[in-house]
Amino acid sequence: MLIPRGLLADPAGPRQDARPGPPGPDWPLPPAAEVDVLVVGSGVAGLSAALAVPAGRTVLLATKDRLGHSATRYAQGGIAAVLDLVDDSVAEHVADTLTAGAGLCDPVAVRTLVEEGGQAIADLLARGVGFDSDPSGPRQLARTREGGHSRSRVVHAGGDATGAELERALTEAVRATPSVRSVEHAFLVDLVTHDGRVTGALLWADGGPHLVRAGAVVLASGGAGQLFADTTNPPLSTGDGIAAALRAGAVLADMEFVQFHPTALHVDGDPRPLISEAMRGEGAVLRDDDGSPVMAGVHPLGDLAPRDVVTRAVAARMAATGARHLWLDATGIPADHLERRFPTILARCRAAGIDPSRQPIPVSPAAHYLMGGVLTDLDGRTSLPGLFAVGEAACTGVHGANRLASNSLLEGVVFAARIGRALGRGPVDNRGAVDSPRHRRDPVGYAPPPGDPTPAGRGQAWAVRERLRRVMTDRVGVVRSGEGLAEAMAELERLNVDLGDPGPAGFEAANLVQLGRAVAELAARREESRGGHWRSDHPAPVEAWRVRQTLTRSPDGGLDTGLLAVPTAEEAHR
């Protein structure tokens, strides 16, 4: 656990049921509480999970910031779903997802996602999400095409403000649901287990620990973009749920696969503003300083190739020319269409002194999405009884080595609904939900370095965090090598966080160090290039590496790695 045990001598007297009183974010979190379901995180996955819990169950939704503040609201592009079986098909969306995933997608999980996508959109419409309409037909949703998609199947809201609209509608729905309480500024410190079962969580709020006992805990706490100095993720994306699950003994998978978006606005800022690939779907072209198209001859889909392909091409052109960024040229798109379709992007560009209708946009890659996370089955159940995971904190197998554009919001909604149905089938019992893979007894070298750790007051914790982000960007970023990864792991071993003065700043730094080591370790072991993992010293995919890597805590407190076989689509249908 992260919190010194002395602080938990009496985490609070009698239990308090969270059922009485009005719902809403102002509910004061007592020192100890008990609910049927605890949901951690308030992005699209967490809000959807809270709303999916069957009637008659008490739900506590805990968020480290405020309701409505999550990585979801930064999502611009939209949600991919098959809504027209004349111009599109489930088979085509499945094929696009498998192709983008570079051989590591779980085909059953992919088909589940795609087949249930239409219902997910219908559910969001029923919740009041205002998707953009297609003026060509009554009651038709506007659809666009993004990277890796063979059809125009991405629905959006507010032009390029899909995430913000989802967050708005689902937050309002949560506030209007009496059985769901919410508590803001409540940080997940650790999961509480008893006899191998998750029985609740320890939250940090109002300057101290609070124990919440729960029949089921749903981790929807997002990814870990803050591992990197250049990221499109907000400062709150520090992988807290994934790290807590690892400490509790859950199995993680695919942690080496990080998606770097090829077109983040090249300006100072944290996070870096995203320039959605939907702009390329509308005709924008990536160019270098000479004006030459970057993707010409690189991939049959050109500028709409899967993200990993475009990011590698961008990074290679930048390295070859010594450029700090490339250019996204949207000047060929009619100005009125740009204004209508991309109001958020245009506002951010103009705030930086750039007018996309008249000049190209400076862009460069930035960490965007973690394909790995807590390993789950199709109902969100993890290897630990009582623990579920959904959204970017989870690893369903849908994304493989590289996520297909606009599949992430869909995944959050689809698998949250499946968790709700699983909870409705009876008492939570995850036994056998996800088997722990056969783990190699290859200990991961996470022993702390000699000497006393430096106390992590707020300033020290921030210094550790910034150093880690620089190391991860330089050595575990878009281009990796065995030498660079070894240097990164040695440097990360020297980063140590002593929580003498507990608080969110230190907790986040500790979580990032733990996950940074996990990403670097699995990246070093995978001696090939595949999807979001690009090794300059092993530049091609290797068939023997068409397996998924896992990570779990060993009985002695260390960490062990393992392998999971990946069935082909043909094998999955047998």
Side-chain angles (χ1 to χ4, degrees):
M1 294 181 68
L2 283 178
I3 291 190
R5 292 187 178 276
L7 286 177
L8 301 180
D10 181 14
R15 301 182 184 184
Q16 178 172 331
D17 196 323
R19 193 183 305 266
D26 298 326
W27 181 60
L29 185 63
E34 186 167 8
V35 293
D36 293 322
V37 180
L38 170 64
V39 178
V40 180
S42 62
V44 64
L47 294 168
S48 297
L51 293 168
V53 174
R57 311 280 183 90
T58 55
V59 182
L60 177 62
L61 175 64
T63 180
K64 68 187 287 186
D65 201 285
R66 291 186 290 125
L67 281 183
H69 283 233
S70 73
T72 290
R73 71 182 183 130
Y74 291 80
Q76 296 173 350
I79 304 181
V82 176
L83 303 178
D84 182 349
L85 293 178
V86 175
D87 295 329
D88 198 1
S89 69
V90 166
E92 287 172 292
H93 190 180
V94 167
D96 290 345
T97 302
L98 293 175
T99 298
L104 293 192
C105 296
D106 181 329
V108 177
V110 171
R111 179 161 287 277
T112 298
L113 175 80
V114 174
E115 288 180 341
E116 298 181 12
Q119 184 59 53
I121 299 299
D123 292 343
L124 290 172
L125 287 168
R127 297 282 187 196
V129 175
F131 289 113
D132 295 336
S133 298
D134 186 340
S136 66
R139 303 180 66 181
Q140 294 292 316
L141 298 182
R143 287 169 289 165
T144 191
R145 186 177 164 208
E146 293 186 0
H149 289 274
S150 58
R151 303 289 183 181
S152 295
R153 63 170 70 98
V154 178
V155 297
H156 46 81
D160 57 356
T162 306
E165 171 60 12
L166 284 174
E167 194 88 51
R168 178 204 63 77
L170 295 177
T171 296
E172 289 182 3
V174 162
R175 292 182 188 276
T177 303
S179 60
V180 179
R181 287 180 174 277
S182 55
V183 58
E184 298 178 332
H185 304 292
F187 188 97
L188 171 67
V189 179
D190 267 310
L191 297 169
V192 176
T193 61
H194 180 70
D195 291 337
R197 180 185 182 86
V198 172
T199 58
L202 195 64
L203 305 180
W204 188 271
D206 301 320
H210 299 255
L211 179 64
V212 178
R213 299 178 178 91
V217 175
V218 180
L219 293 178
S221 46
Q226 286 290 310
L227 283 169
F228 300 90
D230 295 316
T231 180
T232 63
N233 290 187
L236 54 80
S237 296
T238 51
D240 310 314
I242 302 172
L246 180 59
R247 289 191 295 272
V251 177
L252 309 187
D254 299 341
M255 290 296 292
E256 69 269 40
F257 294 110
V258 178
Q259 184 173 84
F260 292 85
H261 200 288
T263 56
L265 183 61
H266 190 80
V267 295
D268 291 335
D270 189 13
R272 293 259 306 280
L274 177 68
I275 307 298
S276 171
E277 66 194 336
M279 188 172 276
R280 282 176 276 139
E282 299 291 338
V285 178
L286 276 163
R287 301 185 186 277
D288 62 16
D289 283 343
D290 295 331
S292 300
V294 174
M295 294 304 297
V298 174
H299 190 277
L301 294 177
D303 284 274
L304 290 178
R307 282 181 184 165
D308 61 321
V309 176
V310 179
T311 297
R312 287 197 296 273
V314 168
R317 187 66 61 92
M318 288 170 60
T321 62
R324 297 182 63 239
H325 63 79
L326 298 183
W327 304 94
L328 184 65
D329 184 3
T331 58
I333 303 174
D336 60 340
H337 184 70
L338 275 177
E339 295 283 356
R340 181 175 62 257
R341 183 67 179 83
F342 303 107
T344 304
I345 292 175
L346 264 62
R348 288 173 177 166
C349 287
R350 286 167 177 160
I354 303 160
D355 184 353
S357 67
R358 300 187 177 196
Q359 63 192 116
I361 306 166
V363 294
S364 58
H368 184 58
Y369 191 88
L370 178 64
M371 271 73 78
V374 186
L375 185 64
T376 73
D377 70 359
L378 296 180
D379 292 325
R381 294 175 294 194
T382 72
S383 59
L384 295 181
L387 181 65
F388 294 76
V390 65
E392 195 172 354
C395 186
T396 62
V398 159
H399 305 307
N402 175 59
R403 175 173 69 83
L404 180 65
S406 290
N407 267 358
S408 57
L409 294 177
L410 180 68
E411 181 194 33
V413 179
V414 166
F415 286 92
R418 295 184 69 85
I419 288 175
R421 293 195 290 273
L423 291 171
R425 288 195 284 269
V428 176
D429 187 353
N430 290 14
R431 286 178 296 181
V434 173
D435 293 331
S436 294
R438 184 184 301 276
H439 281 83
R440 303 193 299 262
R441 288 299 298 168
D442 293 339
V444 177
Y446 288 6
D452 295 329
T454 304
R458 183 173 181 83
Q460 175 64 23
W462 191 256
V464 168
R465 178 168 173 160
E466 290 306 294
R467 179 58 188 157
L468 172 136
R469 297 179 72 193
R470 192 70 264 161
V471 169
M472 292 294 291
T473 298
D474 293 343
R475 298 288 183 262
V476 199
V478 175
V479 184
R480 301 165 175 175
S481 69
E483 180 181 2
L485 291 166
E487 291 172 355
M489 288 187 288
E491 180 71 19
L492 295 175
E493 290 289 355
R494 291 192 286 270
L495 292 179
N496 216 12
V497 182
D498 175 27
L499 299 173
D501 182 18
F507 300 152
E508 287 181 336
N511 289 334
L512 287 170
V513 169
Q514 187 172 33
L515 294 183
R517 291 167 173 171
V519 172
E521 175 70 29
L522 294 189
R525 291 174 182 272
R526 182 173 288 276
E527 294 184 334
E528 66 157 357
S529 290
R530 185 185 296 270
H533 171 70
W534 184 18
R535 289 277 298 262
S536 61
D537 51 346
H538 297 281
V542 176
E543 181 59 25
W545 270 109
R546 203 182 71 80
V547 291
R548 299 169 66 189
Q549 293 195 91
T550 61
L551 196 68
T552 192
R553 189 176 182 182
S554 61
D556 62 3
L559 293 175
D560 295 336
T561 61
L563 299 174
L564 277 177
V566 181
T568 64
E570 293 75 17
E571 290 169 342
H573 284 301
R574 291 174 187 167

